[in-house]
Amino acid sequence: MSENCEQTTAPTKATAASSKGTETAAARAYRNITYRYLVLGILTIVYVCNFVDRQVINVLAQPIIDDLQLSDGQFGMLSGLAFALIYTTLGIPIARWADVGNRRNIIAIAVAVWSAMTAMCGLAQNFFQLFLARFGVGVGEAGGSPPSHSIVSDIFPAEQRATALSVYSLGVYGGILVGTLGGAYLVQYFDWRTAFIVVAVPGLLLSLLVRLVIREPPRGLAENRADSSPPDFFGVMTFLWDRRSFRHLSFACALHAFVTYGVGNFMPLFLGRVHNMPMLDIGWYYGIIAGIGGLSGTFFGGWVTDRLKQRTGDSTWYMWIPFISTLLAIPFALNTFIVMPNGYYSVYSYLITSFCGGWYLAPCIASTHFLVGLRMRALGSAVLFFMLNLIGLGLGPMLTGIVSDALTPEFGDNGLRYAMSITVMINLWCAYHYWLASKTIKADFERAPT
C-alpha cells in the first residue's frame, strides 16, 4: 500500500458536507474546551468501567478457586485467556467498523454488552460456564478502546495527544483500584457472585450517557485535515507491517502486558496465599497502592513524552520512555516478590513497580496514531491491542499460573512467588524491542500519510 494513500484520496461526500448539519454542530461543540474535556472524562470513566469488569475477578480469585475447585492454571485462563481470545479476535473487525462508521454508537453498544456479560459471570456454576461468561465480557470490551482512541486523537491536537491518551489510559489503574477495593468489600460481606452482578450495573447506565452526551467528531478535526475515503483493510495491514518501528513497538507492548497481567492478576492471590493478608487489607492496601502508582505512572508517561518531544524535537522519546520504565521496574518488582518479609512491605514496594509499569501505554498508542492516517487510527489501535492482549493478557496470567502449579509441589505456597519473579524477567526481552523500535520510529513518523 502506498504510504501516501491518504494524500491522494478524494474527500468523501460526508466531508464535503461537513460545513452543514450535524457534523458542523459537532465541530463547533469540540471547539469548546470544556466540552472536549467532558468527552475525554466520559471516555475515561468508561475505560474505568472496562477495567473494573475485566479485573474484578483477580481479587475474587481465592473464593472462586475454592468454590469451583480450580487450579492456578485454570484461574489464569479465566482471568486472561478466556477474555483475550475473543477480545483480540473481534477487536480488529470492530475497529475497522469504527474507522468507517459512528464511533460513539459502537462504544455505547460495547459498554452495554460487556456489562451484561459481567453480570452473567455471577451466575456461573462451573469452570466452563465462567469461561464462557468471561468470553462474553471480551466480546463487549473489544469495541471499547479502538474507537475511543480514535475520538481522542481527533479532538486533541498532536502536541497534546500523548497527554490526552494518558488521561484516557488512567482508566486501566482506576479500574484496578475500584475493582480491587470494591470487590474485596463485596466478597467479604456478600460473595463473589454478588460482586460480579453489582459491578456490572454502572456500565449499563454509562452506555446511555455515551449515547446521549457524546457527539461523533469529524475526522481530523484537531489537525484541520480533510477526511478521506477509508483505505481497504488489507492495505492498512500491509501499511502497518511495512513500518519496522510498529512491528517492534507492538511486540514490546505485548511483552510489557505479559508481565503486567502475569504479575498483576496474581498479586491479590500472592498477598493472601504467601503473606496471609486478610481480604479487606488486600483490597485497601493493594487496591490503593496499585491504583495510585499506576494512575500517576500512566499520566506521567504521556505527559513527560509530550514535554520531552516539544523541548528537544526528538520523536524517539516515544520509545525511550517505555524503554527506561521497563528496565527500571525490574529491581523493584523482584524486591516486592522475593525480599519483602510480609505482605504490607510487599505492597509498599509495589508502588514503584506499578508507577514504572504505567509509563508505556500512552506513548505507544500515540506513536501508532502518528504512524497512520485518519481513517486508520482505530484499526491501528486494534492491531496494537491485538498483540498486547493476545500475548499479554492471554498468555501472561495463564503461563504464570502454570509455572506456579509446576513449582508448588517442591516449594509450596512460595511456588507462586517464584513464578511471578520469573515473569518479571520478561521485561529484559521487552526493553530490547523498545530499543529496536527507537531506531526507526523517527523515519516512520516522517513518512506517515498526511
Side-chain angles (χ1 to χ4, degrees):
M1 176 180 177
S2 170
E3 61 197 51
N4 295 317
C5 61
E6 295 210 356
Q7 290 175 301
T8 58
T9 307
T12 62
K13 291 181 180 180
T15 304
S18 63
S19 61
K20 305 176 184 178
T22 58
E23 200 165 15
T24 296
R28 285 198 301 269
Y30 283 107
R31 281 195 283 271
N32 182 328
I33 192 170
T34 301
Y35 180 70
R36 191 187 313 161
Y37 279 97
L38 172 65
V39 170
L40 178 60
I42 292 173
L43 293 176
T44 302
I45 293 171
V46 168
Y47 204 30
V48 170
C49 175
N50 179 306
F51 260 80
V52 168
D53 290 4
R54 185 188 310 191
Q55 296 291 303
V56 70
I57 192 173
N58 298 331
V59 77
L60 308 177
Q62 198 63 60
I64 293 173
I65 288 172
D66 293 342
D67 189 12
L68 301 183
Q69 296 297 296
L70 308 178
S71 67
D72 286 354
Q74 286 178 308
F75 176 75
M77 292 178 67
L78 288 173
S79 66
L81 188 65
F83 174 90
L85 276 176
I86 194 65
Y87 183 94
T88 54
T89 302
L90 285 182
I92 290 176
I94 291 176
R96 176 60 176 172
W97 179 20
D99 275 333
V100 301
N102 188 299
R103 293 162 290 182
R104 184 269 316 275
N105 292 347
I106 294 170
I107 296 167
I109 294 169
V111 181
V113 171
W114 85 56
S115 299
M117 294 310 300
T118 298
M120 293 298 294
C121 290
L123 304 178
Q125 300 299 314
N126 54 50
F127 170 78
F128 182 69
Q129 290 176 6
L130 187 51
F131 188 95
L132 289 180
R134 290 286 293 171
F135 201 74
V137 175
V139 171
E141 295 200 3
S145 285
S148 297
H149 291 165
S150 180
I151 288 175
V152 171
S153 284
D154 273 340
I155 65 178
F156 285 91
E159 63 273 14
Q160 299 175 16
R161 186 167 297 155
T163 303
L165 286 167
S166 74
V167 172
Y168 172 78
S169 299
L170 295 178
V172 174
Y173 293 96
I176 291 173
L177 191 160
V178 174
T180 301
L181 187 56
Y185 268 97
L186 288 167
V187 77
Q188 178 74 20
Y189 294 110
F190 299 97
D191 54 42
W192 66 268
R193 300 179 188 281
T194 302
F196 275 120
I197 294 170
V198 170
V199 300
V201 173
L204 299 174
L205 301 177
L206 274 175
S207 66
L208 293 176
L209 185 67
V210 169
R211 179 61 184 84
L212 297 175
V213 175
I214 295 179
R215 294 172 180 262
E216 173 71 5
R219 312 272 176 169
L221 174 66
E223 299 153 297
N224 292 316
R225 288 167 58 181
D227 192 9
S228 59
S229 300
D232 67 275
F233 172 81
F234 292 105
V236 177
M237 301 301 288
T238 301
F239 179 93
L240 290 170
W241 179 255
D242 185 53
R243 269 55 184 171
R244 184 180 177 189
S245 60
F246 181 78
R247 298 201 302 269
H248 285 297
L249 83 85
S250 61
F251 192 61
C253 283
L255 295 174
H256 201 131
F258 184 99
V259 176
T260 299
Y261 288 118
V263 168
N265 284 21
F266 280 96
M267 191 66 182
L269 195 61
F270 165 77
L271 295 172
R273 179 184 296 176
V274 176
H275 291 300
N276 297 311
M277 281 185 72
M279 179 61 71
L280 286 182
D281 283 1
I282 293 173
W284 272 104
Y285 285 86
Y286 171 67
I288 291 176
I289 290 293
I292 291 174
L295 286 167
S296 56
T298 301
F299 180 78
F300 177 80
W303 175 82
V304 76
T305 302
D306 276 342
R307 287 301 181 96
L308 289 171
K309 168 60 170 63
Q310 292 171 32
R311 180 175 298 178
T312 66
D314 186 359
S315 53
T316 55
W317 282 110
Y318 285 92
M319 290 298 99
W320 280 120
I321 291 299
F323 172 82
I324 292 168
S325 69
T326 302
L327 293 179
L328 194 59
I330 295 174
F332 292 102
L334 294 178
N335 184 57
T336 298
F337 305 130
I338 295 177
V339 178
M340 290 295 125
N342 61 55
Y344 301 94
Y345 285 121
S346 291
V347 170
Y348 296 142
S349 176
Y350 194 70
L351 175 65
I352 304 300
T353 304
S354 59
F355 175 73
C356 295
W359 291 16
Y360 83 107
L361 192 54
C364 289
I365 297 170
S367 294
T368 301
H369 288 197
F370 283 129
L371 288 169
V372 301
L374 297 179
R375 290 278 185 168
M376 303 160 71
R377 284 173 175 168
L379 188 53
S381 284
V383 174
L384 177 68
F385 272 47
F386 176 89
M387 294 289 290
L388 189 153
N389 286 290
L390 183 63
I391 295 175
L393 180 57
L395 298 181
M398 184 178 72
L399 293 181
T400 301
I402 290 172
V403 173
S404 174
D405 287 336
L407 295 178
T408 295
E410 182 173 355
F411 298 103
D413 288 344
N414 282 324
L416 179 58
R417 180 202 300 268
Y418 299 139
M420 294 168 76
S421 300
I422 291 169
T423 297
V424 167
M425 299 311 298
I426 298 294
N427 269 356
L428 293 173
W429 187 11
C430 170
Y432 174 66
H433 284 280
Y434 282 132
W435 177 75
L436 290 176
S438 73
K439 298 297 183 182
T440 58
I441 193 78
K442 185 175 182 179
D444 286 344
F445 280 175
E446 290 173 352
R447 64 191 184 114
T450 58

